[in-house]
Amino acid sequence: MAELLWSLQDSQLVARFQRRCGLFPALDEGPGENGAGPADGEAQTPELGHLPAAKGKGAGEPANGLRRLAAPQAYVQKYVVKNYFYYYLFRFSAALGQEVFYITFLPFTHWNIDPYLSRRLTIIWVYPFVLGLMMAVVFSTLVGLSRLYTGMHTVLDVLGGILITAILIVLTYPAWTLIDRLDSASPLLPVCVLVVPFFLCYNYPVSDYYSPTRADTTTIMAAGAGVTIGFWINHFFQLVSEPMESLPVIQNIPPLTTDLLVLGLAKFTVGIVLILLVRQLVQKLSLQVLYSWFKVVTRNKEARRRLEIEVPYKFVTYTSVGICAITFVPMLHRFLGLL
């Protein structure tokens, strides 16, 4: 068993998968610029493959891009793309696990389809359970394969993530309906929703080198906390009507017309603009407060990676984004006559 687990960490498995997908190492390797991390590499639109390497400085290193690319004097492997279908497929798939997807897909569902569906999607993609599970499997598979394609994780990393997710689904599925109704159970819920995720993010496991996974985890946890608090505010102040016990989307879906498309686009545009404004404002204010508190030079990008700064500013920012998307954007829609 130990040998099997060790073999799944072999970077050659990642390299073989890349070659089967038409991604081959270029001959001219050079040092990466300023040790670019995986977020930088994935955000670029390279000409002929400037994706992170499947192998590090040594051939025996694991293909874990987060650790390798964060190390001092790290290298970035250049690649030649010979199959652009897989290249663009996995570039798109990688975006499914990034902020831009969650900041657009879930709010769009809440504003234009059904708030109850959006709330259940916050727990897990479940409409109905079989269809939601299939969607989750497809999206998760694409994201997982994209991590192999870009050399960010080993096969063991991906399989371990799938196994942990499956266990959590099995263990928590009986409680999903209960969790879904907790937003109206107690006025103490917002306190628990804020304290517990923040504590977990602040005590995130520490690695030898800086890794963006702590920031990504904080973003997801904070956004989930903000969405939960937003639903609680809506219920506590009776800003929305009580949801139906079953998802009403298919039965009551209106016919798709030009007017409906224009209305949906207008609601989405208004909502995204407000969310981005809130995100920018809260991020700047929180960083200014933290820089002042810890006596850090303003605009020091390295200081953002410090635990006592990164976690609080990310948590405050994306909790505000979640609350804004669920509570304040619908209020603005109502004020503008878009509902």
Side-chain angles (χ1 to χ4, degrees):
M1 186 64 179
E3 291 183 2
L4 175 61
L5 294 177
W6 184 260
S7 66
L8 291 176
Q9 296 185 75
D10 187 1
S11 61
Q12 292 304 314
L13 288 177
V14 179
R16 285 200 293 269
F17 177 79
Q18 291 174 325
R19 289 195 294 269
R20 284 181 175 269
C21 294
L23 192 67
F24 295 87
L27 297 179
D28 53 335
E29 293 189 34
E33 297 179 3
N34 300 324
D40 299 325
E42 291 178 4
Q44 299 173 358
T45 307
E47 295 290 334
L48 282 177
H50 287 72
L51 296 174
K55 294 189 290 184
K57 294 166 64 177
E61 294 183 5
N64 188 329
L66 297 179
R67 180 183 176 90
R68 181 188 68 253
L69 293 176
Q73 300 178 346
Y75 287 85
V76 175
Q77 168 75 59
K78 294 182 180 180
Y79 282 85
V80 176
V81 178
K82 295 186 177 180
N83 189 318
Y84 277 93
F85 171 77
Y86 286 119
Y87 172 73
Y88 288 112
L89 172 65
F90 290 127
R91 295 286 291 182
F92 169 77
S93 302
L96 297 179
Q98 295 173 358
E99 173 190 351
V100 64
F101 173 73
Y102 294 104
I103 209 172
T104 54
F105 175 74
L106 290 176
F108 178 86
T109 303
H110 181 80
W111 301 331
N112 290 296
I113 301 179
D114 185 72
Y116 181 73
L117 173 60
S118 174
R119 193 166 76 216
R120 293 304 293 263
L121 286 173
T122 303
I123 303 174
I124 192 169
W125 293 14
V126 50
Y127 179 56
F129 174 74
V130 175
L131 177 59
L133 185 60
M134 290 174 58
M135 291 174 60
V137 168
V138 170
F139 276 74
S140 299
T141 300
L142 288 174
V143 172
L145 292 178
S146 75
R147 308 315 287 169
L148 296 178
Y149 184 84
T150 55
M152 292 293 99
H153 290 281
T154 64
V155 175
L156 182 61
D157 294 335
V158 175
L159 293 179
I162 294 173
L163 179 61
I164 292 173
T165 302
I167 293 174
L168 289 175
I169 288 176
V170 172
L171 293 178
T172 62
Y173 177 65
W176 286 352
T177 301
L178 174 62
I179 295 172
D180 185 40
R181 293 175 180 174
L182 284 178
D183 60 355
S184 59
S186 170
L188 296 178
L189 178 69
V191 177
C192 297
V193 168
L194 289 174
V195 171
V196 174
F198 182 81
F199 175 81
L200 293 175
C201 293
Y202 204 84
N203 290 276
Y204 193 86
V206 179
S207 59
D208 296 336
Y209 302 108
Y210 174 79
S211 168
T213 53
R214 182 180 64 197
D216 295 340
T217 302
T218 303
T219 298
I220 296 172
M221 298 284 283
V227 167
T228 303
I229 293 175
F231 283 123
W232 181 88
I233 292 173
N234 291 347
H235 175 85
F236 189 82
F237 293 100
Q238 298 182 350
L239 300 178
V240 294
S241 58
E242 290 292 328
M244 299 175 62
E245 289 297 324
S246 60
L247 295 168
V249 182
I250 289 182
Q251 293 84 352
N252 301 327
I253 187 170
L256 188 61
T257 62
T258 303
D259 291 340
L260 188 62
L261 288 174
V262 172
L263 178 63
L265 181 60
K267 291 164 68 175
F268 180 73
T269 303
V270 168
I272 288 298
V273 168
L274 183 58
I275 281 180
L276 293 178
L277 288 175
V278 168
R279 175 182 176 273
Q280 192 70 12
L281 177 62
V282 175
Q283 177 175 292
K284 284 189 175 182
L285 288 176
S286 58
L287 281 174
Q288 287 293 335
V289 171
L290 290 166
Y291 284 163
S292 177
W293 180 268
F294 292 104
K295 296 180 173 56
V296 175
V297 178
T298 307
R299 296 181 181 177
N300 184 349
K301 294 184 178 180
E302 290 299 322
R304 289 192 182 189
R305 297 181 172 184
R306 289 170 51 176
L307 172 66
E308 62 272 20
I309 292 179
E310 183 177 60
V311 172
Y313 103 78
K314 286 277 187 183
F315 198 87
V316 171
T317 298
Y318 289 97
T319 299
S320 302
V321 166
I323 295 173
C324 176
I326 301 303
T327 299
F328 294 105
V329 170
M331 292 174 63
L332 181 59
H333 288 163
R334 192 175 295 108
F335 175 78
L336 297 175
L338 296 176
L339 290 181

